[in-house]
Amino acid sequence: MPYPEKRWSKKDGSYWTVRYLAADGTWPRASRDENGNRWRTKKAAEQWATDKEARIRMGLDEESAPSVAEAARRARKQEGTTLGTWANEWFPKQDVGISHQKGLRTTLEKHLLPHQPSGSGPMWEETLMDDITEQQVVEFKRAKREAGYAESTIRGYCSTLYTLFSDAMREGVATSNPVATNSNRGRRSGTGKRKGARGKQRVTTDALGALLLAERMALLSGRDEEFISAITMYNSGLRFGELVGLERKYCRPDEGVIRVEWQLYESDRDWYRQAPKDDSYRDVHIPQFVAELLQRQLDAVPHKPTPVCACHRPPTVHRFLVAALKRRGAWTPEMQGAILAHPKERSLEELGIPADLAERFDGDFIRGGRAPVHRGGVFVFTGRDGSPHHRRGSYKPWLIGAASTGMYPGGKNSQGDAQKERPVPLLAEPWPGIPVRGRSPRKRSETAWEPIAPGITPHGLARHSHKRAMIEGRVPEVLQHERLGHEMGGIGAVYSQVTPAMVGTLLDLLTANWKASLEARAKMHPHSPVAVLDELLAPYRKQGASGENSKIISQISPKTAPIPLRRRGMRAVS
């Protein structure tokens, strides 16, 4: 449909121009007809453009010849393109972060491409894009629900498929998008778009719960560092990657500020030093007690910078491939250099790898060497047992998970047998219990931990719990968004600004919550096996629960209570 526009000039006076739909999908403007005359009426301009579009569609106009790119798109459309072919062409073009890229790859390789609509027919990877129907998409959703996937996860899969088809339609590969549905149709899954609908329930905790979790995490690891890191997360709202990637020069306890400049992201055992999520660079103000704990951590961790961090893995040939080749007597030292040099540009015969082994490893013969090198010895928090960084795969289940539930996670042992969750073996004294080390821990276990916010995650402790504390303390919304690295929308973002008074009020709130949690913890027991917490409880031991020098006798173990010296009589010597 043409779009006429009225114009005026000193030379020609009032006249009309018109936009029409060209063969390449653009809307060029015409201001004169073939004879070079202006259109003086709107109707004349519309009539000319309508005839022009008709000639273009019939191939009678000089502009009807498609461009080279348009011709290629039409040829592909006539031949037909499978979803797998288009996905391999579409995926490398996506300009997303490492975590998003990994999620896209997993969604495509494990869920979308291998899906079989009828159960026995061809997979979507081998199906022409125009042959994928809305009914097949509905069956895909139903199959994922029956498999136990959450609605949010299924929506994420369908969102990727929707984007895949939208880009295919733009390139002329597909004629329709089967994921697009009409409004008010489909299953109502409680997506949270309805007015008053709430999102998924998140497990959070308060200041006392965070203190008890931090104490248990320190007992599980045997270090004060886990106590300090947990308290820092709860009172700053740092993401796990931002906490692990916190460098010494950006941790400034003397200024009461943590600068969020970098984060560490782990993917396939490789560590990537990258910008914070959504480029959320910010200054996080911390209260005085957090600054003192961070200064204690900085003094305890040796500062020995190295050009290459210990987490970096140089590229090596997959050890299982090397073992398989050695068993066949086909491994030579020269093969390692050949495989590491150009693994994708040389044939399997040149590399000396049999076809069955290549199929087993899916062509991925190299491990490590993917992540860029970053400096080592500059991070505030380090992993356990000499590891340079905390791994989320162990931090979540074995530290915060075991601390919150009192149960070690299940899994598989060295023989491959499945194991259920089991209680953390503890010695009853000193309170709240010390994890048993050494041989036969279950036989020597004397007590067990009660759950504290079971199901909480590092993200729940750091982000959701910190947000909860700010909401309960009625902190202004603009400060909440800035502290968590979120972007505030609406007109409120235009007129709201963070002021020093707001920051001071927030720090006073966190300090008051901290003191109340220490007082409540001292009422449970005046001492702690964690050295840093035992020092923090010292002022509250003097005051006691109900007055000067009062103690809670029921919480003091007779095994650890000091025995006062007493005068002993002298035995007579005959």
Side-chain angles (χ1 to χ4, degrees):
M1 178 180 177
Y3 294 95
E5 298 175 351
K6 191 174 184 179
R7 297 297 180 94
W8 182 89
S9 67
K10 292 183 179 179
K11 180 180 179 181
D12 297 327
S14 178
Y15 63 93
W16 288 82
T17 64
V18 65
R19 288 183 179 272
Y20 61 93
L21 180 61
D24 57 355
T26 60
W27 291 84
R29 178 189 287 113
S31 58
R32 298 177 185 270
D33 59 12
E34 289 79 0
N35 300 324
N37 299 323
R38 299 281 192 184
W39 295 294
R40 298 300 176 180
T41 62
K42 178 180 179 181
K43 184 177 181 180
E46 284 182 335
Q47 185 62 41
W48 179 92
T50 302
D51 296 341
K52 179 80 170 179
E53 290 181 352
R55 293 195 303 271
I56 291 176
R57 288 193 298 269
M58 290 185 294
L60 303 177
D61 194 88
E62 60 181 4
E63 298 183 10
S64 300
S67 62
V68 176
E70 179 66 19
R73 286 195 292 266
R74 291 184 181 182
R76 283 193 303 179
K77 182 177 178 181
Q78 292 177 356
E79 296 174 359
T81 304
T82 63
L83 183 62
T85 302
W86 172 246
N88 288 325
E89 182 181 346
W90 172 82
F91 178 74
K93 300 178 181 179
Q94 305 308 305
D95 185 16
V96 295
I98 298 174
S99 59
H100 193 183
Q101 187 180 42
K102 182 180 179 181
L104 284 178
R105 178 182 292 275
T106 302
T107 300
L108 291 171
E109 295 180 348
K110 294 186 177 181
H111 300 281
L112 295 180
L113 297 182
H115 176 66
Q116 292 180 291
S118 60
S120 59
M123 299 184 296
W124 271 354
E125 182 179 8
E126 304 168 353
T127 306
L128 295 178
M129 299 193 69
D130 287 338
D131 292 342
I132 299 177
T133 62
E134 293 184 12
Q135 184 59 34
Q136 292 182 0
V137 176
V138 173
E139 293 176 0
F140 170 78
K141 296 179 182 179
R142 185 181 297 113
K144 291 301 177 181
R145 292 191 188 100
E146 293 175 355
Y149 288 88
E151 287 295 332
S152 58
T153 305
I154 300 174
R155 288 197 301 271
Y157 297 155
C158 293
S159 176
T160 302
L161 188 62
Y162 178 88
T163 306
L164 197 72
F165 270 92
S166 297
D167 294 345
M169 292 176 60
R170 189 178 301 110
E171 295 293 331
V173 178
T175 58
S176 62
N177 192 337
V179 191
T181 57
N182 297 329
S183 59
N184 298 326
R185 290 191 61 184
R187 182 178 183 272
R188 294 184 178 273
S189 57
T191 59
K193 297 181 180 180
R194 306 187 314 274
K195 185 177 180 180
R198 68 168 180 85
K200 182 181 178 181
Q201 181 66 35
R202 302 286 183 174
V203 180
T204 60
T205 186
D206 55 5
L208 177 60
L211 177 65
L212 298 177
L213 286 175
E215 181 182 18
R216 290 185 178 182
M217 292 168 61
L219 293 174
L220 289 168
S221 66
R223 307 188 306 171
D224 291 347
E225 182 168 334
E226 276 62 42
F227 178 86
I228 299 176
S229 64
I231 295 300
T232 302
M233 279 197 299
Y234 175 78
N235 290 279
S236 63
L238 294 181
R239 299 181 178 93
F240 180 78
E242 296 169 350
L243 181 84
V244 175
L246 179 60
E247 301 177 11
R248 299 177 69 96
K249 62 180 178 180
Y250 300 122
C251 179
R252 303 171 182 177
D254 53 338
E255 302 177 8
V257 170
I258 295 177
R259 292 187 61 87
V260 180
E261 296 286 342
W262 298 98
Q263 69 165 334
L264 285 178
Y265 176 75
E266 183 185 7
S267 176
D268 296 331
R269 297 183 60 195
D270 290 327
W271 289 93
Y272 295 84
R273 182 176 180 263
Q274 58 184 15
K277 182 179 179 181
D278 300 330
D279 294 334
S280 55
Y281 302 96
R282 62 194 186 278
D283 292 343
V284 179
H285 297 271
I286 53 176
Q288 181 63 30
F289 68 91
V290 176
E292 294 174 355
L293 291 176
L294 289 176
Q295 187 61 53
R296 180 187 182 116
Q297 176 67 15
L298 293 175
D299 297 338
V301 176
H303 183 40
K304 297 180 180 179
T306 58
V308 180
C309 184
C311 71
H312 179 70
R313 296 189 303 161
T316 58
V317 181
H318 200 301
R319 60 188 181 95
F320 291 153
L321 176 62
V322 176
L325 292 174
K326 286 183 177 180
R327 286 194 299 267
R328 301 185 182 189
W331 173 257
T332 59
E334 292 76 12
M335 292 180 61
Q336 180 170 357
I339 295 175
L340 294 178
H342 300 286
K344 296 183 179 180
E345 299 176 3
R346 305 178 66 175
S347 63
L348 297 178
E349 292 76 10
E350 293 176 337
L351 296 176
I353 302 176
D356 59 335
L357 287 181
E359 184 179 358
R360 185 185 307 175
F361 288 91
D362 197 18
D364 190 8
F365 309 132
I366 301 177
R367 287 292 179 267
R370 295 182 175 88
V373 176
H374 60 264
R375 296 187 65 191
V378 297
F379 298 98
V380 178
F381 298 102
T382 58
R384 298 185 296 169
D385 302 327
S387 176
H389 312 297
H390 273 297
R391 296 188 178 276
R392 185 182 294 272
S394 59
Y395 190 93
K396 179 180 177 180
W398 291 96
L399 279 179
I400 190 171
S404 61
T405 61
M407 306 284 288
Y408 281 138
K412 295 183 178 180
N413 56 16
S414 57
Q415 289 76 25
D417 300 330
Q419 289 183 334
K420 297 182 180 180
E421 291 185 349
R422 56 199 184 279
V424 177
L426 301 172
L427 297 177
E429 300 298 338
W431 196 89
I434 300 293
V436 180
R437 313 290 182 182
R439 301 177 60 181
S440 303
R442 297 185 184 181
K443 296 181 180 179
R444 295 185 289 143
S445 178
E446 300 174 354
T447 185
W449 279 334
E450 291 290 334
I452 301 175
I456 197 171
T457 61
H459 194 77
L461 176 63
R463 310 281 290 173
H464 292 276
S465 296
H466 190 65
K467 177 75 172 182
R468 166 186 167 180
M470 291 190 291
I471 294 176
E472 293 177 348
R474 298 183 179 180
V475 175
E477 186 177 2
V478 61
L479 179 55
Q480 297 181 30
H481 281 74
E482 182 186 80
R483 192 168 182 83
L484 295 178
H486 295 161
E487 183 177 354
M488 186 175 177
I491 195 64
V494 179
Y495 291 97
S496 301
Q497 296 180 353
V498 177
T499 64
M502 296 180 187
V503 176
T505 303
L506 173 60
L507 299 183
D508 293 341
L509 170 67
L510 297 176
T511 303
N513 293 343
W514 169 251
K515 292 181 178 180
S517 64
L518 285 177
E519 183 178 358
R521 171 60 182 83
K523 292 180 180 180
M524 298 177 184
H525 196 285
H527 289 275
S528 174
V530 181
V532 59
L533 180 57
D534 194 65
E535 296 177 9
L536 294 170
L537 292 175
Y540 300 91
R541 283 196 297 269
K542 296 178 181 179
Q543 298 177 1
S546 59
E548 186 68 17
N549 297 328
S550 63
K551 297 181 179 180
I552 303 177
I553 305 300
S554 60
Q555 298 290 348
I556 300 179
S557 170
K559 297 182 181 180
T560 58
I563 302 177
L565 296 175
R566 62 181 186 273
R567 185 178 182 86
R568 297 177 181 270
M570 297 291 293
R571 185 173 62 179
V573 179
S574 57

